[in-house]
Amino acid sequence: MDLNRKHKVSLRGASSGEISRDALLAKVSQERELRNYARRANAAALFIQRVWRSYIVRKMEAIELREEWENSLSCRSDTLTKSWVSSRVLRPFLFFIRSLSVQHQKIQARDILCMQTCFKILLESINSNDQGYNFCSLAVGTFEESKTWACQTRKLVYLCSFLLMESSYSQERIKDVLGVSALVLRILIALTDPKSWKIITKDNFKDAETAGNMIIQFIGSCKSGYYTAVRRYIKTLTKHTDERLLITTSAVTLAVRPFHARQPAFVDDSQPDTNLAVEEYVSLILTIPRLVCCLPSALIRALKHKSILMPSFHTILILRDKILTRISEIEHSEKQSCTMEIPSVGWAIGNIISLATVSETDFMDPQESNPEMFYVLYVHVIVTLAKNLLSRVENVGIQDMHLDFEATSDETGKGENTAKISFVELLQPVCKQWHLAKLLAVSGKDIRVIADKGASASSKKVSETLELFDIARFYSCMLRIFCVLNPVVGPLPVLNMLSFCPGYIVSLWSSLESVLFPENGSIADNSSHGPVKTSWSTRSPSENKLKHLKNDGFNKWVNVLNKFSGKSPGPRERVECASDQPESSQVKGSTDDVWDVETLRGGPVGISKDVACLLQLFCATYAHLLVVLDDIQFYEKQVPFMLEKQRRIASMLNTLVYNGLLRGTGPENRQLMDSAIRCLHLLYERDCRHPFCPSALWLSPGRTSRPPIAFAARTHEVLPGSDVHTSPSMGSVITITPHAFPFEERVHVFREFISMDKASRKMAGEVDAPGARSIEIVVRRGHVVEDGFRQLNSIGSRLKSSIHVSFVNESGLPEAGLDYGGLSKEFLTDITKAAFATEYGLFSQTTTSDRLLVPSPSARHLENGIQMIEFLGRIVGKALYEGILLDYSFSHVFIQKLLGRYSFIDELSGLDPELYRNLMYIKQYDGDLKELCLDFTVTEEFCGKMSIIELKPGGKDISVTNENKMQYIHAMADYKLNRQIVPFSNAFYRGLTDLISPAWLKLFNAHEFNQLLSGGNHDIDVDDLRRNTKYTGGYTDSSRTIKIFWEVMKGFEPSERCMLLKFVTSCSRAPLLGFKYLQPTFIIHKVSCDTSLWAAIGGQDVERLPSASTCYNTLKLPTYKRASTMREKLLYAITSNAGFELS
């Protein structure tokens, strides 16, 4: 760079600090924006000034014109003409009323007087027989006169809408407003009815009718605002509004007038009517909350007429999207929210049902022409609207709705609960059997209806049949609506009707059976049902894609969990991964299993929406019926299905639920899965009590796709919080459908859960070296329960740790020997034996032959009775946790409570057979039950004191009659099975779940739980024990003493063999899975006791008694020479109730 170079100077004269180009452009742009803003501000100011000046000028002109109008009317001449009425009365009146009242949305007292004067003159003119004075003669006059008449009449409609809106607000002059509203409505009714005009002749009737129809068309348009005004007016009405009866009648009459003014081409009811007035009526009137409760009965009869409902149905189906959008916009403009109020589309459903089905006789009179089409349209309309409603309220969630409803109730005093009750009341007709009967009577008939419900008004008509599926979809929607919007009793009203409607559930199953079991179906040869069959049996490409996506997701979880467990895929897992391929030989081979329904192997994803809807309704209805169906009806009378049908239903549900859980389902199938799971569980629990299905049926779905045990257990633990309906998971399969796995495998899973829990406790430092963190207790032989309760009750889940027990004999001396596990087992066995004895008072035995244990009602009166039962729950949990078998079994009713299940009346037979027989006698009693003098109470006795317990509030004052006997039967059963036993079962459950997870327990049913607790049969398999016995001290399997021992064992009675097993292992029953799983292994140790030669010659044998080390499961057996001696010594030892002393 040239340092000597001079500094350059700008030739423009600018300094060296001149602004840059970018800054200059930004400055220019900013100045331009400022100038534009100033111009806009000036233009806005000029506009405001212009509007204000116009308003002031118009207002001054209106006031001046009103003065002149009043003066002219006060000095009017007797000669009046129609032109005078139009130009001197009506024209200035409409101008100043609009300027002074309508635009201000406020009515002055002076304006009311003007309205009364004008409307009276107009009515006088309309009722006049003088054609020169009658205002209506302008409508059939010259072109200019008819144009003026139409313009002024439309302005009267605007004014009528304004007055109706004003009538909806409470104000001081409300009576005056109602009076002028009634006058203007009378005028409009007269003007829209050309037949009532006094000046009509045959020559001008067509012109008059055309003019009247033009006004009616304008009233039906959204420009008039009439339906909006009527909506606002009716929403403020109550049932008893006699002072508004005239206005209400006139307003509704004018609102439905467009329905009666259709062109002759639209007389046929099957012709779709897309009149704008019908759209406004559907969107604004039918969505009014509690419409039928606001209007008088005379108007209700008018609104439910075929001429009103049929066009409304057509419009909803043809313009479905437009109507629903319009309803949503209206709702948004009124600032409603579906989380706080019933959506407007819900009120539309309730109003349509109420109007169409007020009573059995009013549900479309058969004398009407083409009543079948009414039912078809009615069903399709309700389903269309219900889908929209459910898409909104189900997304909100019932909990959110509860909170908002309660808040609304607190704030307003009435609250949404009142609205909800009213809404449910509107739906009551669908809960009546006559409603279903009329729909079923129409099903199967060909009817002319609209082909495409989303098409335009020019859609062609085709023949359609109201199928059973359409009715099923209707009631399926109703069930979901009741579930969400009737949380107090839910869908019970609908389910009660469907369950007890004669033959309906049988019809549902017949339709399903023909589709799901096509080899026995008959629809294949019925050509008229071809489209329906195609819809049911064909799966769309999107469904196939979804199915493969679900399976891909499942296979990924398989790979992840295999890596987690460190295993490669097993053969069963490979079968599962390939089981969805149509060409798979596994699938082909599985068709040999008659209980694995082939059409449901893909779960809900593999069936059409039609079948899914039928299936969901059937499952919900039949599950409800199973609750009240007693064993006599189910097994002996076999209603509603024969047992063979029941087996088919069970197999269908089993296959559907298993594969749905295995492969996963979408949210759209949640309702189906919930209903199917509930129905399946009810059938399975009934089968567990009284079998009617082969065991192969329950195992059938998992025959080729059952996972390895460790894999299933680990999946259950790794994915505990996943959605069982949408996430394919072995954990959800084994939790919800454990019966699909053999009992032995589930026992393995249970033991795997416990092994995993022990491993996690060890990793957490809760379990250290042997002997560390153990619990040491001292127990007196005669006070096992009291000592155990005192020392162990407060430690809770710490009972999972090892227990070291020291026994004190009846003499007060410590017993010899050390506890390496055997004495703790003996302690658990002894404490349960003492506590479960009926003499102790905590538990009693059922009166059935198997004498099962159930908590005694008197236990609540014992000192620490509830706490003792909770403690026993921990003891049982400890036994299950350690794999120790106990000698007792519980009542199935009690176990149902531990498994979290509700008990129904049929289970009473296993708890109290005599009470069950008495209740069934009452159920079938044909005479007058009042003769038996029963009431809703039950009497209990304790220590000679009688106490009366009411089965329902005020039960002692309620007599049992033929009408309420079913309530009495179920109330009595509920008390015995649930209410009476719940305090004890809850306490026992709290103790049990301190050690055993509730999810682990749900792997088993009641009978299997008893097996898990107490082992198999009350005998042992001698051959299995011999195969799994070890010998020490010099014994071998071929030793003479050992051979004698096994001969003696086989000669023992079953009870004696069990006593011997308890003598050695402290438990009288064999391990559930065989002696292979006995830990430690059963051992026979040789005790050498040689006798002298002369003693042996004299016939003497060893005198020493056998002894046992329970800690090692070891039998110390002397070398007996004779079988008789061995038998005698063994029997003496096992009946002596001694431990180590025999050594």
Side-chain angles (χ1 to χ4, degrees):
M1 181 177 179
D2 188 1
L3 298 177
N4 298 322
R5 185 178 177 184
K6 292 183 178 181
H7 183 70
K8 290 184 178 182
V9 179
S10 174
L11 298 178
R12 294 177 296 149
S15 65
S16 59
E18 67 178 356
I19 190 171
S20 65
R21 180 176 180 276
D22 293 339
L24 178 62
L25 292 176
K27 182 178 180 180
V28 171
S29 176
Q30 184 179 7
E31 292 175 350
R32 185 184 299 113
E33 288 294 330
L34 290 175
R35 289 193 296 273
N36 289 335
Y37 175 78
R39 281 196 295 271
R40 291 196 301 271
N42 291 334
L46 291 174
F47 177 77
I48 292 173
Q49 293 172 6
R50 185 165 60 249
V51 171
W52 176 250
R53 284 196 300 268
S54 173
Y55 166 74
I56 293 298
V57 171
R58 288 173 63 88
K59 183 177 180 180
M60 298 303 296
E61 287 291 331
I63 293 174
E64 184 179 348
L65 187 59
R66 181 175 63 185
E67 293 287 345
E68 295 177 359
W69 185 81
E70 289 175 344
N71 293 333
S72 65
L73 290 183
S74 62
C75 58
R76 62 178 178 175
S77 61
D78 296 334
T79 304
L80 304 176
T81 64
K82 58 186 179 183
S83 299
W84 179 83
V85 173
S86 175
S87 60
R88 296 297 182 90
V89 178
L90 196 54
R91 182 180 180 185
F93 167 78
L94 291 173
F95 176 78
F96 71 72
I97 282 295
R98 181 175 181 273
S99 301
L100 299 177
S101 294
V102 177
Q103 290 184 349
H104 288 276
Q105 297 292 306
K106 186 176 181 181
I107 302 178
Q108 302 293 337
R110 190 172 179 180
D111 296 330
I112 292 178
L113 294 176
C114 294
M115 291 181 193
Q116 291 174 346
T117 303
C118 178
F119 293 158
K120 288 178 180 178
I121 293 174
L122 195 55
L123 277 173
E124 181 184 347
S125 174
I126 292 173
N127 294 326
S128 175
N129 293 322
D130 184 0
Q131 189 166 1
Y133 178 50
N134 195 306
F135 177 71
C136 297
S137 61
L138 293 174
V140 294
T142 64
F143 175 75
E144 290 298 330
E145 289 178 339
S146 62
K147 185 177 180 181
T148 301
W149 180 87
C151 180
Q152 292 177 345
T153 306
R154 283 197 293 269
K155 290 182 179 179
L156 282 174
V157 174
Y158 283 128
L159 181 57
C160 179
S161 301
F162 167 70
L163 290 173
L164 281 176
M165 287 191 178
E166 288 298 308
S167 300
S168 63
Y169 302 119
S170 59
Q171 50 183 318
E172 296 178 0
R173 292 179 298 276
I174 188 64
K175 292 185 178 180
D176 297 330
V177 175
L178 292 176
V180 295
S181 299
L183 288 175
V184 73
L185 283 168
R186 284 180 60 191
I187 292 171
L188 289 176
I189 288 175
L191 294 178
T192 54
D193 184 15
K195 294 179 181 180
S196 65
W197 295 356
K198 302 294 182 64
I199 49 88
I200 290 299
T201 63
K202 291 183 179 179
D203 297 333
N204 60 14
F205 179 74
K206 287 188 177 180
D207 295 336
E209 190 175 33
T210 302
N213 285 340
M214 288 176 59
I215 300 304
I216 291 174
Q217 185 178 4
F218 175 74
I219 291 173
S221 66
C222 58
K223 294 181 181 180
S224 69
Y226 180 74
Y227 285 99
T228 302
V230 173
R231 172 185 176 86
R232 186 172 298 178
Y233 170 76
I234 295 179
K235 287 178 72 174
T236 62
L237 294 178
T238 58
K239 189 67 176 176
H240 305 289
T241 53
D242 295 337
E243 69 277 3
R244 298 193 181 197
L245 179 60
L246 179 61
I247 298 180
T248 305
T249 304
S250 301
V252 174
T253 300
L254 199 59
V256 300
R257 184 145 285 180
F259 289 84
H260 305 291
R262 293 182 292 169
Q263 298 298 326
F266 292 90
V267 173
D268 183 9
D269 289 322
S270 63
Q271 175 69 28
D273 186 352
T274 57
N275 194 321
L276 292 176
V278 183
E279 297 180 34
E280 291 292 294
Y281 175 81
V282 170
S283 304
L284 290 164
I285 305 302
L286 285 183
T287 56
I288 296 175
R290 300 175 294 280
L291 175 64
V292 295
C293 301
C294 300
L295 301 179
S297 57
L299 290 179
I300 297 299
R301 285 194 293 270
L303 294 183
K304 72 180 183 181
H305 193 268
K306 177 182 176 182
S307 61
I308 305 297
L309 290 177
M310 294 292 278
S312 301
F313 290 169
H314 280 299
T315 302
I316 293 173
L317 295 177
I318 296 171
L319 304 175
R320 175 189 58 198
D321 296 335
K322 182 179 179 182
I323 293 292
L324 293 176
T325 302
R326 174 85 167 120
I327 292 175
S328 179
E329 292 173 351
I330 296 170
E331 193 173 61
H332 180 71
S333 66
E334 295 177 349
K335 297 181 180 180
Q336 292 182 357
S337 172
C338 65
T339 62
M340 297 185 66
E341 297 183 4
I342 303 295
S344 294
V345 69
W347 290 115
I349 294 172
N351 291 330
I352 289 174
I353 291 176
S354 295
L355 291 172
T357 62
V358 176
S359 66
E360 181 177 2
T361 56
D362 290 331
F363 191 14
M364 197 58 199
D365 189 352
Q367 302 298 328
E368 297 278 358
S369 60
N370 198 11
E372 293 83 5
M373 189 186 67
F374 176 86
Y375 295 125
V376 175
L377 294 178
Y378 166 74
V379 169
H380 287 308
V381 164
I382 296 300
V383 170
T384 299
L385 297 178
K387 287 181 179 179
N388 181 269
L389 173 64
L390 290 168
S391 66
R392 300 176 60 182
V393 297
E394 288 184 337
N395 291 337
V396 171
I398 190 66
Q399 298 299 330
D400 295 336
M401 297 183 71
H402 273 231
L403 296 175
D404 290 335
F405 288 158
E406 292 172 0
T408 305
S409 178
D410 292 339
E411 294 169 5
T412 64
K414 293 181 180 179
E416 187 57 25
N417 289 329
T418 303
K420 197 184 306 181
I421 292 172
S422 299
F423 175 74
V424 172
E425 288 175 353
L426 295 178
L427 305 182
Q428 286 305 311
V430 304
C431 304
K432 307 298 182 182
Q433 288 193 1
W434 54 259
H435 183 278
L436 175 60
K438 292 214 173 188
L439 295 182
L440 291 176
V442 179
S443 62
K445 297 182 180 179
D446 290 336
I447 307 151
R448 292 166 64 83
V449 294
I450 303 301
D452 186 0
K453 298 173 181 58
S456 64
S458 59
S459 299
K460 295 183 179 180
K461 296 175 291 184
V462 296
S463 179
E464 185 173 315
T465 304
L466 183 64
E467 296 290 347
L468 187 64
F469 155 72
D470 298 312
I471 303 174
R473 175 172 287 182
F474 176 93
Y475 281 102
S476 178
C477 292
M478 288 298 106
L479 285 176
R480 293 165 62 189
I481 289 175
F482 271 78
C483 282
V484 177
L485 299 179
N486 190 29
V488 178
V489 296
L492 286 180
V494 182
L495 289 175
N496 283 334
M497 183 275 298
L498 294 176
S499 300
F500 300 107
C501 185
Y504 178 63
I505 197 169
V506 177
S507 300
L508 277 180
W509 173 247
S510 298
S511 299
L512 284 171
E513 191 175 28
S514 62
V515 178
L516 302 177
F517 301 91
E519 69 277 3
N520 294 328
S522 58
I523 64 170
D525 298 329
N526 191 346
S527 59
S528 66
H529 293 85
V532 178
K533 186 184 77 169
T534 302
S535 172
W536 284 356
S537 59
T538 303
R539 185 166 54 196
S540 64
S542 61
E543 289 175 334
N544 282 320
K545 182 178 180 181
L546 179 61
K547 179 170 182 282
H548 287 299
L549 288 175
K550 296 292 185 184
N551 291 330
D552 290 342
F554 166 72
N555 294 336
K556 290 178 181 178
W557 278 115
V558 170
N559 296 331
V560 170
L561 291 166
N562 279 331
K563 291 179 180 179
F564 173 80
S565 59
K567 295 183 179 181
S568 59
R572 283 183 176 173
E573 296 169 46
R574 295 193 184 97
V575 169
E576 170 56 32
C577 295
S579 63
D580 290 320
Q581 302 298 330
E583 300 84 0
S584 174
S585 60
Q586 294 293 341
V587 172
K588 292 180 181 179
S590 65
T591 57
D592 297 334
D593 191 346
V594 296
W595 303 118
D596 188 13
V597 183
E598 184 177 2
T599 53
L600 295 175
R601 289 175 185 164
V605 179
I607 59 178
S608 70
K609 293 182 178 179
D610 293 359
V611 177
C613 182
L614 273 177
L615 203 51
Q616 189 265 331
L617 186 65
F618 172 80
C619 293
T621 304
Y622 193 44
H624 184 72
L625 181 61
L626 285 172
V627 171
V628 298
L629 206 64
D630 59 60
D631 286 348
I632 296 176
Q633 294 170 315
F634 189 90
Y635 292 100
E636 297 181 14
K637 298 181 179 179
Q638 298 191 20
V639 292
F641 302 108
M642 303 294 289
L643 289 182
E644 179 58 34
K645 293 284 186 184
Q646 300 282 14
R647 286 188 278 271
R648 300 198 87 181
I649 294 172
S651 66
M652 177 271 293
L653 293 172
N654 202 35
T655 307
L656 174 70
V657 172
Y658 179 87
N659 289 285
L661 295 173
L662 185 66
R663 291 165 173 80
T665 61
E668 66 278 3
N669 290 315
R670 181 183 298 272
Q671 297 284 339
L672 169 59
M673 288 296 293
D674 288 342
S675 300
I677 289 171
R678 172 171 167 76
C679 192
L680 175 65
H681 284 170
L682 288 171
L683 282 173
Y684 177 68
E685 289 169 9
R686 192 179 289 262
D687 180 73
C688 291
R689 288 187 291 107
H690 300 290
F692 65 93
C693 294
S695 58
L697 185 150
W698 305 113
L699 300 173
S700 178
R703 189 171 59 89
T704 59
S705 58
R706 206 160 49 241
I709 296 305
F711 170 69
R714 283 175 169 79
T715 306
H716 178 274
E717 293 298 303
V718 171
L719 304 172
S722 61
D723 191 334
V724 298
H725 299 296
T726 58
S727 302
S729 168
M730 287 295 177
S732 58
V733 172
I734 201 170
T735 302
I736 296 177
T737 57
H739 55 258
F741 297 77
F743 175 59
E744 292 77 9
E745 293 188 11
R746 277 179 282 137
V747 175
H748 280 292
V749 172
F750 180 78
R751 300 312 309 174
E752 184 70 20
F753 286 158
I754 294 176
S755 299
M756 293 167 61
D757 183 72
K758 290 181 177 180
S760 64
R761 290 178 61 243
K762 187 172 184 180
M763 293 176 62
E766 297 181 23
V767 180
D768 294 325
R773 298 186 181 234
S774 61
I775 302 169
E776 297 187 3
I777 61 174
V778 178
V779 179
R780 294 169 294 172
R781 285 283 183 185
H783 302 82
V784 178
V785 179
E786 292 80 2
D787 292 348
F789 176 75
R790 176 172 46 81
Q791 299 177 70
L792 298 178
N793 183 51
S794 59
I795 65 175
S797 60
R798 285 183 53 217
L799 197 58
K800 290 182 179 180
S801 303
S802 59
I803 302 176
H804 287 187
V805 181
S806 298
F807 277 109
V808 176
N809 63 19
E810 296 174 354
S811 302
L813 301 175
E815 293 185 358
L818 297 176
D819 180 14
Y820 290 93
L823 288 182
S824 60
K825 292 190 294 182
E826 185 178 354
F827 162 72
L828 294 177
T829 304
D830 289 346
I831 194 173
T832 53
K833 179 180 180 181
F836 291 149
T838 56
E839 300 82 20
Y840 204 85
L842 293 176
F843 281 79
S844 59
Q845 294 180 341
T846 62
T847 57
T848 56
S849 58
D850 36 10
R851 312 293 292 177
L852 301 174
L853 290 174
V854 65
S856 173
S858 61
R860 69 181 59 170
H861 303 291
L862 300 178
E863 183 180 0
N864 297 325
I866 299 296
Q867 292 87 341
M868 288 287 289
I869 289 181
E870 182 177 344
F871 169 66
L872 289 177
R874 292 192 187 93
I875 293 297
V876 170
K878 176 67 174 177
L880 292 173
Y881 195 80
E882 301 295 345
I884 299 173
L885 301 180
L886 302 178
D887 286 334
Y888 298 94
S889 298
F890 295 105
S891 166
H892 289 191
V893 173
F894 180 63
I895 299 176
Q896 288 286 77
K897 296 293 168 293
L898 302 181
L899 300 180
R901 295 166 188 163
Y902 189 84
S903 297
F904 300 102
I905 185 171
D906 293 323
E907 299 174 56
L908 186 61
S909 60
L911 182 66
D912 192 338
E914 183 179 0
L915 176 60
Y916 179 76
R917 286 192 299 269
N918 292 337
L919 292 179
M920 290 301 101
Y921 173 80
I922 294 175
K923 182 178 180 179
Q924 300 167 11
Y925 188 72
D926 296 331
D928 188 359
L929 277 175
K930 290 183 179 179
E931 300 173 354
L932 302 181
C933 300
L934 297 173
D935 55 26
F936 280 77
T937 62
V938 61
T939 304
E940 290 188 349
E941 179 184 0
F942 178 73
C943 296
K945 296 180 63 177
M946 309 296 291
S947 59
I948 297 177
I949 300 173
E950 293 184 338
L951 299 177
K952 59 189 300 187
K956 62 182 179 181
D957 300 322
I958 303 175
S959 299
V960 179
T961 64
N962 292 339
E963 290 73 23
N964 63 13
K965 67 178 181 181
M966 292 304 299
Q967 297 180 24
Y968 172 77
I969 291 171
H970 286 279
M972 179 66 79
D974 177 65
Y975 176 77
K976 287 292 185 181
L977 296 172
N978 300 296
R979 290 171 53 189
Q980 187 183 55
I981 205 173
V982 157
F984 310 111
S985 62
N986 286 345
F988 196 92
Y989 178 82
R990 289 193 299 269
L992 180 64
T993 53
D994 276 346
L995 289 87
I996 304 297
S997 169
W1000 304 352
L1001 296 176
K1002 291 182 180 180
L1003 295 174
F1004 309 99
N1005 59 39
H1007 176 69
E1008 292 167 343
F1009 179 87
N1010 276 333
Q1011 283 189 285
L1012 184 70
L1013 179 64
S1014 59
N1017 299 325
H1018 293 269
D1019 196 1
I1020 62 175
D1021 186 345
V1022 177
D1023 294 331
D1024 178 51
L1025 177 61
R1026 184 171 186 175
R1027 286 192 299 270
N1028 294 282
T1029 297
K1030 291 183 178 179
Y1031 305 99
T1032 59
Y1035 278 145
T1036 64
D1037 187 56
S1038 58
S1039 299
R1040 180 186 176 191
T1041 302
I1042 296 299
K1043 291 181 179 180
I1044 295 174
F1045 173 79
W1046 292 119
E1047 291 177 4
V1048 171
M1049 278 288 291
K1050 289 184 178 181
F1052 275 163
E1053 296 293 328
S1055 59
E1056 295 171 338
R1057 283 193 288 266
C1058 292
M1059 292 173 66
L1060 175 64
L1061 187 62
K1062 181 176 181 178
F1063 176 75
V1064 179
T1065 67
S1066 78
C1067 182
S1068 64
R1069 297 194 184 187
L1072 204 56
L1073 301 178
F1075 284 98
K1076 177 182 178 181
Y1077 295 91
L1078 180 65
Q1079 294 295 331
T1081 304
F1082 192 90
I1083 298 174
I1084 300 179
H1085 181 75
K1086 181 177 181 179
V1087 177
S1088 298
C1089 298
D1090 295 333
T1091 59
S1092 63
L1093 178 61
W1094 296 109
I1097 295 175
Q1100 296 182 5
D1101 203 344
V1102 177
E1103 294 295 330
R1104 184 171 179 173
L1105 290 171
S1107 61
S1109 295
T1110 56
C1111 51
Y1112 296 111
N1113 290 341
T1114 300
L1115 173 64
K1116 299 176 182 179
L1117 186 65
T1119 54
Y1120 299 113
K1121 303 296 189 298
R1122 297 182 180 86
S1124 58
T1125 304
M1126 181 176 291
R1127 177 183 176 85
E1128 177 186 352
K1129 299 298 183 182
L1130 284 174
L1131 287 176
Y1132 182 85
I1134 63 182
T1135 56
S1136 63
N1137 193 28
F1140 291 108
E1141 284 90 341
L1142 296 179
S1143 299

